[in-house]
Amino acid sequence: MVSKQPDPHPEIPDEIDGLRMTKQRKEIYHILMEYRDHPTASEVYMRAKERLPSISQATVYNCLQALVQHQIIRQVNFERESSRYCPNLREHVHFHDSATGAIHDVDFKPGFQLNELLQLPEGVQVEDIEITLRGKLPQSS
Amino acid sequence: MVSKQPDPHPEIPDEIDGLRMTKQRKEIYHILMEYRDHPTASEVYMRAKERLPSISQATVYNCLQALVQHQIIRQVNFERESSRYCPNLREHVHFHDSATGAIHDVDFKPGFQLNELLQLPEGVQVEDIEITLRGKLPQSS
DNA sequence: GTATGGAATTGGAATAATTCTTGATATCGG
DNA sequence: CCGATATCAAGAATTATTCCAATTCCATAC
């Protein structure tokens, strides 16, 4: 008679938007929520192995992909680097600090309108916007 | 006595911004200028082979990289797809037509200011902006 | 002209991130 | 409890790109 292990992440529901949250998916989602530093798949893999030593890279990729497809997290691409993953679902922009390599989320100002910024042709339907900035933060931050 | 072949692209100077424009580099630059449809490296390779049958993929990659590094063309990345290349040096945005897959350049409106759009922290120095839109054009276009 | 040195080109091998495949496991509904 | 379905694991396969070593090209000096 083996008693079940307690769920290590009881704050994460067993299902999100129709996706069954398995042990592995919960762990990976938890990792993204905890640090929010836009890790790559292999960084997620390294962190996940600490709690789930038998997890494989393939599972990490599978889980990340399942979470992205169900719009629980976002995949972030910068240049040709490895994809990074981000649990922030608000519409936002990514700022890459060229000094430290860190990535910061930057929000839009309320009420922004794309066609105030761009010479878009009449009648376009914009389904998705992706904005990435690269630059330096002031010293004091 | 073999007479030299005439330069197939006399409109392209023999040097741009300190980069010696060899036969291969001229051909590749010409391909980008002619169609302006944001081809991938292997699309450029296929087109280049028509005029320079002995050109190699490695050369295409080398030339594209040299042109990018000398800021003669731009490398454009979208999601995790192959890089695409673009001779438009004006600051602009890429619009991916989700119906046809075509990529269109969209200009900024004059006098746009990033911090009208974004809640940027005080004192950031933005060195580079990359904006990509995905969506549909109106039928009639 | 011809020689020379550095840059450019070539073809193939190597790399890295990601996806695919297949079999094993776990979970759900009845 | 049992079969159906979903998920996971491990390694092979794929794809875009880069690296490497050998050759070729080209500008300049002789």
Side-chain angles (χ1 to χ4, degrees), chain A residues 19-68:
Chain A
L19 183 69
R20 186 148 64 85
M21 291 299 281
T22 63
K23 192 168 36 139
Q24 290 84 347
R25 288 175 186 158
K26 280 190 179 183
E27 185 56 43
I28 283 167
Y29 185 52
H30 172 79
I31 286 167
L32 294 179
M33 290 299 270
E34 189 180 24
Y35 300 103
R36 292 174 166 271
D37 58 352
H38 306 83
T40 63
S42 67
E43 286 164 355
V44 171
Y45 174 53
M46 290 187 296
R47 291 177 194 172
K49 268 199 299 195
E50 290 172 17
R51 270 174 189 268
L52 303 174
S54 75
I55 202 169
S56 70
Q57 289 240 44
T59 297
V60 172
Y61 276 105
N62 287 342
C63 291
L64 288 170
Q65 196 175 299
L67 293 168
V68 168

Side-chain angles (χ1 to χ4, degrees), chain B residues 9-139:
Chain B
H9 302 301
E11 76 283 8
I12 301 176
D14 291 338
E15 186 175 317
I16 302 181
D17 282 319
L19 182 69
R20 185 149 64 87
M21 291 299 282
T22 63
K23 191 168 37 137
Q24 290 85 348
R25 287 175 185 160
K26 281 189 178 182
E27 185 57 42
I28 284 168
Y29 185 53
H30 171 80
I31 287 167
L32 293 179
M33 289 299 271
E34 188 180 24
Y35 300 104
R36 290 173 166 273
D37 59 352
H38 305 83
T40 63
S42 67
E43 286 163 357
V44 171
Y45 174 53
M46 291 187 296
R47 291 177 193 171
K49 268 199 299 196
E50 290 172 17
R51 270 176 189 266
L52 302 175
S54 76
I55 200 170
S56 68
Q57 288 241 48
T59 297
V60 172
Y61 275 105
N62 287 341
C63 290
L64 289 169
Q65 196 174 298
L67 293 168
V68 168
Q69 275 167 359
H70 285 75
Q71 315 210 48
I72 300 167
I73 64 170
R74 289 176 169 232
Q75 183 171 10
V76 179
N77 299 301
F78 182 58
E79 308 279 300
R80 304 236 85 239
E81 295 172 9
S82 305
S83 287
R84 296 176 173 276
Y85 297 88
C86 159
N88 179 356
L89 295 178
R90 270 177 327 199
E91 199 157 38
H92 67 280
V93 162
H94 289 111
F95 180 89
H96 289 242
D97 185 331
S98 51
T100 67
I103 298 169
H104 303 278
D105 291 355
V106 177
D107 285 316
F108 287 96
K109 287 193 174 170
F112 82 95
Q113 287 293 324
L114 249 202
N115 35 17
E116 288 167 15
L117 181 73
L118 300 174
Q119 298 184 335
L120 286 167
E122 289 296 314
V124 288
Q125 271 181 267
V126 177
E127 294 160 0
D128 196 52
I129 313 169
E130 210 193 286
I131 303 185
T132 308
L133 310 176
R134 197 175 45 75
K136 286 193 180 59
L137 290 175
Q139 292 295 352

